[in-house]
Amino acid sequence: MAKFAIYTIPPADHGLYRIGSEILGYDIRAGRDLPAETEARSQLGAFDPAWVSSAAQYGFHMTTAGTYEYDPDALSMETVIEACDMLLSSFNPANVMRLTQHPTEFIWQGGFTGLRYDANPTFQTLHTVLCTYLPRFGINSRSLRHLSDNPTAFGEAHHMAQRTQNFFTPYIFDDFMPHFTLLNPYTGDNPTTIREALWEMIGHVREVEVESVCLVRLQDDANRYEIVHEFHRADYPLPLV
């Protein structure tokens, strides 16, 4: 099933993007796989490509809205682009969108590792309006399918079920947890050393100014996400036609 989402992706020349892409082994901006041996991977010691087997297909990114399954025969990406143009044009260009490193630094849950940030109010608002508006173009999601198979999947957390039923994903709005995925699934036996090595490489990136967001998609016959369109804040607001 084809899928689309909105990602926040640092610029190609940003150090965080280079390191993250080298770890994942996929450069989503260039649309190409990277060599198995990279500088960033070498700093993690005996790197096992299996540690990114679930993460590589997405490229280095922060999910800002989505992911939504859709029918390519019924939905043109131009329709989604027009919707995002409208939403981004509604933001005051004087208000910066910024990510600030969260005090806990990393999400480390099982085999999932992500560098965690907090959204400032303007970026949080962008996330909220995207997650409210874009589901009209989707037809399903992994979370919704899971809920359909097991209506009690969220137990007493009824707000999670409501979000999934109405907006396709449970981890949005006031539970939005901005993060850049680094490893998934990490199965090594020395997570402390890996975490320290990651922090040495990228821990200094305390703030990220969000200058653009990207519409990405995974086509039915593809195994990597690709960028369809990049929305640069400097281009907005668009004038009324």
Side-chain angles (χ1 to χ4, degrees), residues 44 51 106 108 110-111 113 183 186-199:
L44 298 179
W51 295 348
F106 285 106
W108 195 281
T113 303
L183 301 171
Y186 174 70
T187 56
D189 57 5
N190 202 345
T192 300
T193 298
I194 293 293
R195 180 169 179 160
E196 290 175 351
L198 288 172
W199 186 247

Side-chain angles (χ1 to χ4, degrees), residues 106-240:
F106 285 106
I107 301 171
W108 195 281
Q109 298 175 346
F112 178 89
T113 303
L115 182 63
R116 186 175 176 186
Y117 285 84
D118 290 326
N120 77 337
T122 308
F123 187 65
Q124 175 70 38
T125 302
L126 176 66
H127 156 79
T128 301
V129 298
L130 288 169
C131 289
T132 303
Y133 197 91
L134 295 184
R136 69 189 63 197
F137 303 122
I139 58 176
N140 212 335
S141 71
R142 180 172 57 184
S143 296
L144 181 56
R145 192 177 296 107
H146 178 60
L147 181 64
S148 299
D149 292 340
N150 179 13
T152 62
F154 296 107
E156 296 299 314
H158 301 304
H159 65 290
M160 304 287 273
Q162 288 284 354
R163 290 174 185 166
T164 303
Q165 180 66 42
N166 295 296
F167 303 104
F168 292 102
T169 177
Y171 301 109
I172 55 175
F173 303 154
D174 45 332
D175 284 323
F176 180 40
M177 189 181 295
H179 64 274
F180 292 100
T181 302
L182 296 166
L183 301 171
N184 190 23
Y186 174 70
T187 56
D189 57 5
N190 202 345
T192 300
T193 298
I194 293 293
R195 180 169 179 160
E196 290 175 351
L198 288 172
W199 186 247
E200 181 68 23
M201 284 191 284
I202 60 180
H204 64 282
V205 185
R206 300 292 183 176
E207 288 189 347
V208 176
E209 184 169 333
V210 179
E211 300 175 348
S212 69
V213 293
C214 297
L215 171 63
V216 301
R217 71 179 171 190
L218 180 69
Q219 301 194 75
D220 284 327
D221 58 351
N223 59 8
R224 293 284 190 268
Y225 276 78
E226 62 179 355
I227 296 175
V228 177
H229 186 82
E230 186 162 9
F231 306 90
H232 295 275
R233 284 215 73 200
D235 295 336
Y236 297 92
L238 301 177
L240 288 174

Side-chain angles (χ1 to χ4, degrees), residues 10-183:
D13 60 356
H14 197 291
L16 185 61
Y17 180 77
R18 180 189 62 80
I19 292 169
S21 296
E22 287 187 2
I23 292 172
L24 295 177
Y26 175 53
D27 183 343
I28 189 173
R29 285 196 171 276
R32 64 183 178 89
D33 288 332
L34 298 177
E37 296 183 6
T38 63
E39 180 182 350
R41 286 184 174 185
S42 70
Q43 294 185 49
L44 298 179
F47 185 87
D48 185 346
W51 295 348
V52 294
S53 59
S54 295
Q57 65 172 319
Y58 304 97
F60 187 70
H61 76 286
M62 173 183 292
T63 301
T64 308
T67 301
Y68 312 107
E69 296 179 2
Y70 74 102
D71 180 356
D73 294 328
L75 176 68
S76 166
M77 288 291 95
E78 287 301 319
T79 300
V80 182
I81 291 171
E82 290 174 2
C84 292
D85 279 342
M86 178 271 292
L87 295 173
L88 283 161
S89 290
S90 301
F91 281 81
N92 184 342
N95 293 330
V96 174
M97 295 184 182
R98 181 177 289 114
L99 298 163
T100 303
Q101 202 169 86
H102 189 274
T104 60
E105 302 162 358
F106 285 106
I107 301 171
W108 195 281
Q109 298 175 346
F112 178 89
T113 303
L115 182 63
R116 186 175 176 186
Y117 285 84
D118 290 326
N120 77 337
T122 308
F123 187 65
Q124 175 70 38
T125 302
L126 176 66
H127 156 79
T128 301
V129 298
L130 288 169
C131 289
T132 303
Y133 197 91
L134 295 184
R136 69 189 63 197
F137 303 122
I139 58 176
N140 212 335
S141 71
R142 180 172 57 184
S143 296
L144 181 56
R145 192 177 296 107
H146 178 60
L147 181 64
S148 299
D149 292 340
N150 179 13
T152 62
F154 296 107
E156 296 299 314
H158 301 304
H159 65 290
M160 304 287 273
Q162 288 284 354
R163 290 174 185 166
T164 303
Q165 180 66 42
N166 295 296
F167 303 104
F168 292 102
T169 177
Y171 301 109
I172 55 175
F173 303 154
D174 45 332
D175 284 323
F176 180 40
M177 189 181 295
H179 64 274
F180 292 100
T181 302
L182 296 166
L183 301 171

